Amino acid sequence: MIEIIKASMEHSKEDGYVGHVEFTVKGHSFPYEITLHSKRNKDWSYALNFKKESGKEEDILAVEEMLEEDEYFDKLVEAAQNTL
């Protein structure tokens, strides 16, 4: 359902872990970007946005719901962590 386009993550003592993942969702018109943040590489916070142009609000709300399921959120975190 989620296809990862690009992922990255950086770590610094000041900011902790900051990751970015670009991805698409099957059936959605526009790609998304999620920014991930964690001080200790667990208990992640995130910001979800459309990558380039804005799509429908109901699409981004549906992705927010998907991310509440650990399977999808963990896949995005793992993709970013794998780039360290």
Side-chain angles (χ1 to χ4, degrees):
M1 185 165 236
I2 289 178
E3 183 178 333
I4 294 169
I5 300 168
K6 182 179 174 184
S8 65
M9 184 171 282
E10 296 178 356
H11 176 259
S12 70
K13 288 182 182 179
E14 300 82 35
D15 297 329
Y17 294 85
V18 179
H20 301 279
V21 182
E22 297 174 23
F23 64 99
T24 58
V25 175
K26 186 175 182 177
H28 290 215
S29 301
F30 300 105
Y32 298 91
E33 178 177 45
I34 190 168
T35 301
L36 304 159
H37 179 259
S38 175
K39 280 290 188 184
R40 293 177 175 63
N41 205 14
K42 56 183 170 181
D43 299 324
W44 293 90
S45 61
Y46 71 91
L48 177 67
N49 296 293
F50 287 103
K51 175 61 184 153
K52 293 182 182 176
E53 48 197 296
S54 292
K56 296 185 253 175
E57 183 178 357
E58 52 267 14
D59 283 352
I60 206 160
L61 293 174
V63 173
E64 287 273 358
E65 275 187 41
M66 287 173 47
L67 295 178
E68 289 179 15
E69 299 176 32
D70 289 340
E71 171 190 352
Y72 295 111
F73 187 74
D74 291 348
K75 181 177 181 178
L76 296 175
V77 171
E78 186 177 302
Q81 287 174 325
N82 286 340
T83 68
L84 274 175

